[in-house]
Amino acid sequence: MAETPLFDRLATLLSNEEPVALVTVIDGPKTGAKLLVRPLRVTGSDVWEGTLGNDGLDRVAARDARGELAAGRSGVRHYGTHGEAREEEVKVFIESFAPPPQMLIFGAVDFTGALVKVAKVLGFRVTVCDARPVFATHQRFPQADEVVVDWPNRLLEKVGPSLGARDAVCVLTHDNKFDVPAVVSALTTQVGYIGVMGSRRTHDNRLQRFTEAGVDQAGLDRLRSPIGLDIGARTPEETAVSIMAEIIALHTGRSMQALSATSGPIHD
């Protein structure tokens, strides 16, 4: 009887197209127990309804459900009876009800293939866009969900309204005739991350171009340029890791410092 309100609540959230995760104990002391986890868009925290039988387990499972939900994935996790890591007394299934986050990569360059691979590992739906048909091919980027031959602003006119805080736009072209329309169009959306590849000198040059195109200071402040975290990346693969680390840190609101240089809980 106690599950009926929970499923009613789930139905309401799905009807409202709100991201939500349902956590169910599939093996352990409270098999069948459920927890409904809903992230709050305004505060970035989450609320949950129901229980898996222990407050500590609820907290840890809700945290992991939020991570699965952010990636648009479902999966099995193991815990101790109080939510301890590296223990297996409790087995839960986290079922996410959310589309995967989107990543739009503008520029079919050497770094693009590596970024596609790493973004796919993290659950993104990846679109590669370039106006040059000889470079923008499925053969070059077989792991991309979509390869589009078009100008950045034209693609963003179509898909921009669907972009939100979980999504990312990465501009890798190093060419102002692509970079400027890509950035100007991306700034009209609610996308959570806009990264632009290039050296600091290139970035300074671009700022003038963006300003001339009508981008105000608030828009410039949204840009992550040069793109990625300073981890000493040299190869395309290392650069892709630095970009994805920056996206994760921005999404979670973390400081982007090494854990050894910070204090407090590692997880929320």
Side-chain angles (χ1 to χ4, degrees):
M1 294 295 291
E3 293 182 358
T4 302
L6 199 66
F7 281 110
D8 284 347
R9 181 66 173 149
L10 174 61
T12 299
L13 293 169
L14 294 178
S15 177
N16 294 337
E17 298 185 346
E18 293 189 36
V20 61
L22 181 65
V23 185
T24 304
V25 177
I26 57 176
D27 192 15
K30 296 288 184 179
T31 298
K34 299 184 187 313
L35 191 70
L36 196 65
V37 181
R38 179 168 60 95
L40 295 180
R41 292 173 178 171
V42 175
T43 64
S45 60
D46 48 44
V47 295
W48 61 81
E49 301 171 36
T51 180
L52 303 180
N54 177 268
D55 290 343
L57 179 59
D58 288 346
R59 181 180 61 79
V60 174
R63 178 202 67 198
D64 291 345
R66 190 194 329 150
E68 294 287 351
L69 195 56
R73 298 180 307 207
S74 297
V76 173
R77 297 291 183 102
H78 297 85
Y79 308 102
T81 55
H82 298 87
E84 298 90 339
R86 297 181 296 278
E87 296 187 16
E88 298 191 351
E89 287 87 352
V90 181
K91 183 178 181 181
V92 308
F93 178 63
I94 301 174
E95 187 172 13
S96 296
F97 297 92
Q102 301 181 68
M103 174 178 285
L104 305 184
I105 304 176
F106 293 110
V109 298
D110 291 341
F111 288 86
T112 303
L115 184 55
V116 171
K117 292 177 185 176
V118 179
K120 289 301 296 177
V121 169
L122 294 175
F124 280 77
R125 185 187 188 282
V126 181
T127 298
V128 175
C129 176
D130 197 303
R132 302 165 295 180
V134 68
F135 296 119
T137 67
H138 287 283
Q139 289 74 24
R140 291 190 69 207
F141 309 107
Q143 291 182 289
D145 296 280
E146 189 177 17
V147 178
V148 177
V149 179
D150 208 340
W151 286 84
N153 53 307
R154 287 162 55 96
L155 177 63
L156 282 164
E157 286 175 4
K158 298 175 184 174
V159 305
S162 69
L163 299 177
R166 301 163 60 228
D167 304 316
V169 168
C170 298
V171 183
L172 310 183
T173 51
H174 281 90
D175 188 332
N176 284 327
K177 68 176 179 291
F178 294 109
D179 294 352
V180 173
V183 168
V184 171
S185 298
L187 287 171
T188 66
T189 74
Q190 298 301 311
V191 69
Y193 178 90
I194 305 173
V196 190
M197 179 170 278
S199 66
R200 298 189 190 283
R201 182 176 179 180
T202 300
H203 171 68
D204 291 340
N205 174 269
R206 281 204 200 100
L207 290 180
Q208 180 63 33
R209 302 268 185 169
F210 294 151
T211 301
E212 291 172 355
V215 177
D216 60 15
Q217 189 59 48
L220 296 178
D221 291 343
R222 289 180 63 189
L223 304 181
R224 308 297 300 186
S225 178
I227 195 171
L229 297 185
D230 183 9
I231 60 172
R234 293 165 295 183
T235 67
E237 290 75 17
E238 292 171 348
T239 302
V241 170
S242 78
I243 294 170
M244 296 310 304
E246 184 176 52
I247 291 172
I248 294 169
L250 279 179
H251 184 65
T252 58
R254 288 303 180 121
S255 65
M256 306 188 196
Q257 298 182 60
L259 289 173
S260 60
T262 62
S263 59
I266 294 176
H267 304 294
D268 292 335

